[in-house]
Amino acid sequence: MKAFILLSTFLFIGLVSRGQQTVLQGLVTSQNSPTENITVKILSLNKATKSNQSGAYHFNDIPSGSYDVLFSGVGHQNKKIKITVNNDTTFLNVDLISMEANLKDVVITGVNRATELRKSPVPIAVLAKKAMDQNVNTNLIEAIVKGVPGVTAVTTGPNVSKPFIRGLGYNRVLTLYDGLRQEGQQWGDEHGIEVDEYGIARAEVVKGPASLTYGSDALAGVINMIPYSPNFANGKLKGDFTTNYQTNNGMIGSSLGLAFIKNDWKFTVRGTGKTAHNYENKIDGLVYGTAFREYNFSASARVDKHWGFSKTAVTYYDNLMEIPDGSRDSLSRKFTRQILDDGDDIKKRPIVPDNELNTYGINPLHQHIQHYRFYNTSQFKFGNSDLNILLGGQQSVRREYNHPTVPQQAGLYVVLNTFNYDLKYNLPDFSGIESTIGVNGMYQANRSKAATDFPIPDYDLFDIGAFYFAKKTFGKVDISGGIRLDRRNINWADFYVGTDAQTGFGKQVNAAVSGANLQFPSFSKNYYGVSGSLGLTYNISEQLLIKANIARGYRAPNITEIGSNGLDPGAHIVYLGNRTFKPEFNLQEDIGLIAYLKDADISLELFNNNIQNYIYQSRLTDANGNPVVIVPGNLTYQYQQSKARLYGAEVAANLHPAAIKWLTFNNSMAYVVGLNQNKELLAKQGNKAKYLPFIPPLQIRSELKATAQHAIGFLSKPYVKIDAAIFADQNKFYGLDDTETFTKGYTLINGGIGSTIVNRKDKTLFDVFIQVDNIFNKAYQSNLNRLKYFEYYTASPNGRSGIYNMGRNMSFKVIIPI
């Protein structure tokens, strides 16, 4: 009997104890609509889960007590709520503010610690993966161009897009991968961004000088491509499989990403493959030389501790991409191909067979680009201050094959090794002042290998800069600014080129070799820069504010601007640099008005940018005005330097009526004018030299989108949209020596539908996106499309010159969660 009583007592205690383990559950909404994929975390218990398609979340076995519960998710403002759990089931519902309709989005680019967007006076735009997925993209930069007003791109076919911000590009726009400078051979026209588009979860764009934080090469702005970071329950393995097919060039893309969290550790891995044949338009048919094949791999490991965190990551990029040159038969306008080195006559090249125009095989004349990246970013906390360290090494290997008789011989073969360092110390706050001191820079070594063409010398570069930044809030006014000093050294030894007796091609030789030609005399120079910024934000109310900023940027000349003297086979251009060039400096003023209202988000941004020592390309002509031809079949460009001014505006009006929640109408306009202020040249050449090269025309984008607020059978929040991209005539171009010509305006109509597919239990099966670009198959040429100028005849039977942009393209994309 005693044993029975004792056993009953233990059972009762166990049941009481079990009864104290309660349930926490609730519903996550945004604008009163159920919201999925929101991470819900009980901070002191380190328990986390995610909301489902219905916005519901659920925790079992929560001990009674008081807890802080954090709700967070991409595109939404974080929210922390304190709650007491003291019964069997506790309900906690929350409505989150969408980042797309508020000013509290947190950014990390162009600032020295995570900062609310409303507190930064510098114009910054944010693009989430969701927005990227809902457009047809052949590369990451194209996705950013479609999503951020003021950003454009110079293109060389569908796989090469070089970003421009407010009319400035090349080495004036600094691209970052997870905060690390992206260092490849950026000097080339056809040298794209070497990043896996499927691995990027977010892009942040700084529109304006960011030299204060990053030094040289951020004179026009910064694009930070931020990879996915896992945030879900401990002990879980999750991921996604993405597959994409595009009809125009048959592009097939597949990407598998996995993430795992174990206690304090987070691990990610991703592999991607893409391949495409030549793209097509109704004027040129299939454009020979535009096929590509790309592979990517990335992995990371991060540990979070009480002292801070440390993340180590590695990436690999491998791209085989054909080299178009635009040679054609003069009558049929069919594309021809080079089959000879010596004795090549462009007008006698054979026509490319039809069966070779839509093959996925890469033709012998192509580029092979490889990029390796290894880096570590860490933060160490010291009470009220912290130290942030970013160290990275990367190698860019570029081979350009342009010899049809010896296809295995690279014309260009360069290897660029870079070591990056970035240290920032966020000091303890003093009298309400947040301040940061930092030092960053890089060391580079570029070497030519077994090549035949040498557009640039072998060089070494060392870069270092130190800065101080501070910000303070005075009631409704946030003020921030700072100053920076930079030094860059570029040097190279004498570089001799001779002739290979066996092949007849050029090769690098030493000075003692008979017939050696000193192509690049030795050079060493230090470039110094002082940059800084001062800005303020006036918060008129929570929904309305005014921003103003003035910034001085700095950029040292790049290697091709000061050192080039040879053919770049992939660009079909002979570059001629100038060793006497000075650094560029600019002074840019920005003012913006931003309003997030109940039914609309409205922004107006105005800028004025004056540049000293602006460097630009211009075709080289002789005394009679005829193009100088150094290498037959290739253009010759010589770099120029002068004063310049750019000014313009961006306007956005995004309507989301509260009474019609399923409807959005997004509109944006971007306009920039670039003026050449070389007085001597203007006096001699007049309007032909009035404007700067490669300035985008006025462009307007409008999108009408309807999204169901409730599930329709197995379709969760399906949407349908139609949008228009309107580009005006570009008659403000650099026309001297036909460097550029008039570009007629055009309008592209695009559309798309998509939805999340769920099962009967409301579990996500996959996301599907079906989209069409250029629905009406419009024939057009962008003024920023380099292929527009790939033409060998002064006239043609159809009256068309150069190569046209891609025609109608339908995209099918499926993302399957794992």
Side-chain angles (χ1 to χ4, degrees):
M1 185 65 180
K2 290 181 179 179
F4 176 78
I5 294 173
L6 186 61
L7 178 61
S8 299
T9 301
F10 280 127
L11 287 173
F12 177 79
I13 292 172
L15 288 171
V16 170
S17 210
R18 179 69 176 174
Q20 291 176 343
Q21 299 294 315
T22 62
V23 172
L24 174 62
Q25 64 184 45
L27 186 67
V28 181
T29 58
S30 181
Q31 296 180 336
N32 297 316
S33 297
T35 305
E36 64 175 323
N37 289 326
I38 297 299
T39 298
V40 186
K41 189 171 186 178
I42 304 176
L43 298 180
S44 59
L45 298 181
N46 199 27
K47 283 179 173 284
T49 187
K50 280 200 172 186
S51 59
N52 63 19
Q53 292 290 326
S54 301
Y57 71 94
H58 186 275
F59 290 99
N60 284 323
D61 300 332
I62 304 298
S64 297
S66 295
Y67 304 101
D68 286 325
V69 183
L70 178 66
F71 298 84
S72 62
V74 174
H76 297 85
Q77 179 184 339
N78 292 356
K79 195 166 190 176
K80 185 166 68 174
I81 299 176
K82 192 172 187 67
I83 187 170
T84 299
V85 176
N86 55 16
N87 53 36
D88 289 342
T89 301
T90 300
F91 293 92
L92 176 60
N93 298 333
V94 63
D95 191 69
L96 299 182
I97 299 174
S98 172
M99 292 288 197
E100 298 173 353
N102 77 95
L103 292 164
K104 294 190 177 181
D105 196 357
V106 175
V107 294
I108 60 173
T109 308
V111 294
N112 292 293
R113 60 181 84 183
T115 302
E116 284 186 1
L117 192 59
R118 70 177 306 122
K119 292 182 177 294
S120 173
V122 179
I124 302 177
V126 178
L127 190 66
K129 188 176 188 299
K130 181 180 178 181
M132 300 182 203
D133 284 334
Q134 293 183 4
N135 285 303
V136 182
N137 310 309
T138 55
N139 61 70
L140 180 64
I141 298 303
E142 184 181 3
I144 295 172
V145 166
K146 291 179 178 179
V148 180
V151 179
T152 52
V154 166
T155 62
T156 308
N159 201 39
V160 176
S161 297
K162 296 184 72 69
F164 273 49
I165 296 177
R166 293 175 167 177
L168 297 175
Y170 296 99
N171 282 79
R172 300 178 186 92
V173 174
L174 180 63
T175 53
L176 309 175
Y177 177 87
D178 203 11
L180 179 73
R181 293 177 65 111
Q182 171 76 19
E183 288 297 325
Q185 305 284 349
Q186 287 103 321
W187 49 268
D189 281 302
E190 82 295 359
H191 302 171
I193 303 300
E194 298 151 6
V195 170
D196 179 7
E197 65 168 304
Y198 295 117
I200 301 302
R202 175 182 173 95
E204 296 182 356
V205 180
V206 179
K207 295 187 286 185
S211 300
L212 170 62
T213 305
Y214 301 104
S216 182
D217 303 345
L219 183 139
V222 177
I223 296 177
N224 190 9
M225 299 161 286
I226 303 171
Y228 169 72
S229 179
N231 185 16
F232 47 80
N234 182 39
K236 296 288 186 179
L237 174 67
K238 294 189 176 183
D240 69 83
F241 175 73
T242 300
T243 183
N244 185 204
Y245 175 73
Q246 297 182 11
T247 59
N248 187 284
N249 59 351
M251 195 207 82
I252 302 170
S254 295
S255 181
L256 175 63
L258 296 172
F260 178 66
I261 296 180
K262 183 65 175 177
N263 298 327
D264 298 325
W265 287 88
K266 297 179 179 180
F267 304 92
T268 67
V269 63
R270 179 172 291 275
T272 295
K274 292 168 62 178
T275 185
H277 60 64
N278 297 310
Y279 82 81
E280 184 176 11
N281 62 62
K282 68 181 184 181
I283 301 299
D284 305 304
L286 290 162
V287 178
Y288 183 64
T290 57
F292 64 87
R293 187 182 304 147
E294 179 183 315
Y295 302 101
N296 293 279
F297 174 80
S298 62
S300 71
R302 170 172 169 149
V303 59
D304 288 88
K305 295 290 187 180
H306 67 277
W307 48 260
F309 73 87
S310 182
K311 175 183 176 181
T312 300
V314 59
T315 69
Y316 171 63
Y317 172 94
D318 190 299
N319 187 8
L320 292 167
M321 183 170 58
E322 294 181 349
I323 303 174
D325 68 2
S327 68
R328 311 175 189 243
D329 176 74
S330 61
L331 297 178
S332 68
R333 295 291 288 175
K334 290 186 175 182
F335 288 100
T336 61
R337 62 181 179 185
Q338 181 183 357
I339 59 173
L340 299 174
D341 282 301
D342 291 334
D344 175 50
D345 186 342
I346 293 172
K347 297 182 179 180
K348 295 181 180 180
R349 291 179 178 178
I351 292 174
V352 180
D354 290 342
N355 66 332
E356 293 186 19
L357 288 173
N358 61 359
T359 176
Y360 285 93
I362 303 298
N363 74 46
L365 306 188
H366 66 272
Q367 305 178 59
H368 186 193
I369 305 102
Q370 295 168 293
H371 190 280
Y372 307 82
R373 180 189 293 107
F374 178 83
Y375 67 96
N376 175 273
T377 178
S378 299
Q379 182 183 79
F380 302 93
K381 297 179 180 178
F382 310 107
N384 296 324
S385 64
D386 57 81
L387 175 65
N388 298 268
I389 301 175
L390 174 60
L391 302 174
Q394 49 191 312
Q395 182 181 76
S396 175
V397 182
R398 172 174 288 272
R399 304 177 185 91
E400 298 180 0
Y401 297 93
N402 65 322
H403 296 297
T405 59
V406 191
Q408 71 276 11
Q409 173 62 60
L412 178 71
Y413 186 175
V414 287
V415 177
L416 178 67
N417 293 305
T418 305
F419 171 73
N420 303 91
Y421 62 94
D422 189 343
L423 291 83
K424 297 188 182 81
Y425 180 57
N426 293 320
L427 286 78
D429 292 358
F430 176 74
S431 297
I433 299 174
E434 296 180 10
S435 58
T436 303
I437 57 173
V439 58
N440 51 31
M442 62 181 173
Y443 168 74
Q444 279 188 344
N446 191 76
R447 298 293 181 265
S448 292
K449 300 298 182 181
T452 64
D453 297 293
F454 307 94
I456 59 173
D458 292 351
Y459 70 90
D460 293 298
L461 178 153
F462 180 71
D463 198 30
I464 186 170
F467 68 89
Y468 174 77
F469 175 86
K471 61 181 179 179
K472 182 175 173 62
T473 298
F474 299 90
K476 293 185 176 183
V477 178
D478 298 297
I479 298 179
S480 62
I483 190 168
R484 179 188 179 99
L485 302 176
D486 274 286
R487 174 186 177 272
R488 172 172 290 186
N489 175 266
I490 301 179
N491 68 86
W492 62 81
D494 288 341
F495 188 106
Y496 291 86
V497 175
T499 302
D500 188 314
Q502 295 182 339
T503 65
F505 298 140
K507 69 174 184 178
Q508 185 178 357
V509 298
N510 61 51
V513 173
S514 176
N517 174 52
L518 181 58
Q519 187 159 329
F520 304 102
S522 63
F523 177 86
S524 180
K525 189 167 184 178
N526 293 321
Y527 298 94
Y528 296 94
V530 178
S531 51
S533 70
L534 178 63
L536 65 84
T537 301
Y538 176 43
N539 300 271
I540 301 173
S541 69
E542 283 294 313
Q543 289 75 38
L544 181 63
L545 57 85
I546 296 175
K547 294 186 175 187
N549 191 69
I550 183 169
R552 173 182 164 93
Y554 147 80
R555 184 182 76 91
N558 68 28
I559 184 60
T560 187
E561 292 165 347
I562 57 173
S564 60
N565 184 26
L567 173 67
D568 175 8
H572 298 289
I573 292 176
V574 175
Y575 292 104
L576 301 177
N578 189 321
R579 299 156 66 99
T580 66
F581 279 164
K582 300 175 182 178
E584 291 182 346
F585 292 97
N586 73 327
L587 188 66
Q588 179 167 316
E589 302 91 19
D590 287 274
I591 187 166
L593 174 65
I594 303 175
Y596 284 105
L597 309 175
K598 180 181 178 181
D599 295 318
D601 307 334
I602 301 171
S603 66
L604 169 63
E605 295 176 344
L606 306 173
F607 68 92
N608 180 64
N609 191 1
N610 288 286
I611 307 177
Q612 300 291 323
N613 310 320
Y614 179 78
I615 301 171
Y616 60 97
Q617 299 176 15
S618 180
R619 283 192 189 179
L620 186 62
T621 57
D622 60 23
N624 297 320
N626 298 315
V628 171
V629 177
I630 296 177
V631 179
N634 298 272
L635 302 173
T636 303
Y637 280 80
Q638 188 169 44
Y639 284 96
Q640 312 287 330
Q641 189 167 54
S642 70
K643 291 182 178 181
R645 181 191 174 205
L646 297 98
Y647 62 91
E650 289 119 34
V651 180
N654 300 325
L655 309 180
H656 44 79
I660 317 175
K661 293 182 179 180
W662 53 268
L663 183 68
T664 59
F665 185 35
N666 298 331
N667 304 272
S668 67
M669 183 276 290
Y671 179 66
V672 58
V673 175
L675 299 175
N676 189 340
Q677 295 188 327
N678 185 331
K679 294 182 179 180
E680 182 179 344
L681 188 65
L682 290 170
K684 183 178 180 181
Q685 300 294 342
N687 284 339
K688 286 186 177 181
K690 182 178 180 179
Y691 300 103
L692 300 177
F694 289 118
I695 300 297
L698 169 72
Q699 51 188 289
I700 299 171
R701 292 183 182 269
S702 291
E703 176 193 83
L704 185 65
K705 181 179 179 182
T707 305
Q709 298 301 292
H710 304 286
I712 303 175
F714 58 84
L715 303 177
S716 177
K717 290 191 176 181
Y719 73 87
V720 58
K721 69 170 186 173
I722 187 166
D723 67 86
I726 305 167
F727 296 81
D729 292 348
Q730 182 51 295
N731 51 17
K732 297 180 174 65
F733 58 89
Y734 185 78
L736 187 61
D737 303 322
D738 287 330
T739 298
E740 285 186 282
T741 57
F742 169 80
T743 304
K744 183 175 177 55
Y746 53 92
T747 298
L748 303 179
I749 304 298
N750 315 303
I753 59 174
S755 180
T756 297
I757 310 300
V758 298
N759 62 15
R760 292 182 178 179
K761 295 182 179 180
D762 211 26
K763 180 181 179 181
T764 297
L765 299 177
F766 57 88
D767 294 303
V768 61
F769 307 91
I770 302 173
Q771 292 146 154
V772 186
D773 263 10
N774 195 0
I775 292 175
F776 298 107
N777 203 24
K778 175 75 174 180
Y780 72 99
Q781 288 178 311
S782 165
N783 80 305
L784 299 180
N785 177 14
R786 289 185 58 251
L787 300 186
K788 175 189 174 186
Y789 299 98
F790 282 25
E791 179 60 66
Y792 291 93
Y793 302 100
T794 55
S796 66
N798 63 6
R800 310 278 189 168
S801 176
I803 298 174
Y804 280 66
N805 287 69
M806 185 181 286
R808 182 189 299 114
N809 188 23
M810 181 174 287
S811 170
F812 302 88
K813 180 184 289 185
V814 175
I815 303 176
I816 304 171
I818 299 173

